[in-house]
Amino acid sequence: MELVFQDLQFYVIVLLAVKLFLRSDEFLNLNESSIVWDVSSVNEDGSYDGLALQVQGKSDPVPVTLMLWADDDKPQLCPVRHLWVYLTAINFKKGFLFP
């Protein structure tokens, strides 16, 4: 079962890194405080259409907020859905998103 979580984690890391143009050190530093709930976009049914993440890039003097949008046209490539599935599967409470 651990292998399934590792595969899912790797897939979510690739999706997030590609969609947000993140370097490896930037997505590895994401934690629960990186999610900006006030800016995130919620649908009427309670699902997230957009998720705001604070990331500090290599040349950024301060963290910047990046939007991660749901992809309803290609759900197999939707980073928001896959992130929520991954966080639910590992029973995420706090700490780094990708330990």
Side-chain angles (χ1 to χ4, degrees), residues 2 9 15-17 20 23 29 32 37-38 44 46-47 52 59-60 62 69-71 75 78-79 81 89 91:
E2 182 66 30
Q9 180 184 40
L15 278 176
L16 290 179
L20 296 176
R23 293 178 173 89
N29 289 327
E32 80 277 354
W37 298 107
D38 296 338
E44 293 174 359
S47 63
S59 62
D60 297 327
V62 295
W69 294 103
D71 189 353
C78 178
R81 287 183 182 133
N91 198 19

Side-chain angles (χ1 to χ4, degrees), residues 19-38:
K19 294 284 187 173
L20 296 176
F21 299 100
L22 299 178
R23 293 178 173 89
S24 61
D25 60 330
E26 295 166 353
F27 69 76
L28 288 176
N29 289 327
L30 292 175
N31 57 32
E32 80 277 354
S33 64
S34 299
I35 301 173
V36 184
W37 298 107
D38 296 338

Side-chain angles (χ1 to χ4, degrees), residues 5-22:
F5 292 136
Q6 289 176 349
D7 291 343
L8 178 61
Q9 180 184 40
F10 181 71
Y11 187 66
V12 172
I13 286 172
V14 169
L15 278 176
L16 290 179
V18 168
K19 294 284 187 173
L20 296 176
F21 299 100
L22 299 178

Side-chain angles (χ1 to χ4, degrees), residues 70-83:
D71 189 353
D72 294 329
D73 294 334
K74 295 183 180 77
Q76 66 272 25
L77 296 175
C78 178
V80 175
R81 287 183 182 133
H82 282 85
L83 179 61

Side-chain angles (χ1 to χ4, degrees), residues 1-3 8 14 18-19 30 40 42-43 46 49 54 61 63 65 72 75-76 83 91 93 96 98:
M1 197 61 144
E2 182 66 30
L3 184 61
L8 178 61
V14 169
V18 168
K19 294 284 187 173
L30 292 175
S40 297
V42 182
N43 290 328
D49 188 36
Q54 269 196 339
T65 303
D72 294 329
Q76 66 272 25
L83 179 61
N91 198 19
K93 299 293 183 213
F96 290 103
F98 306 107

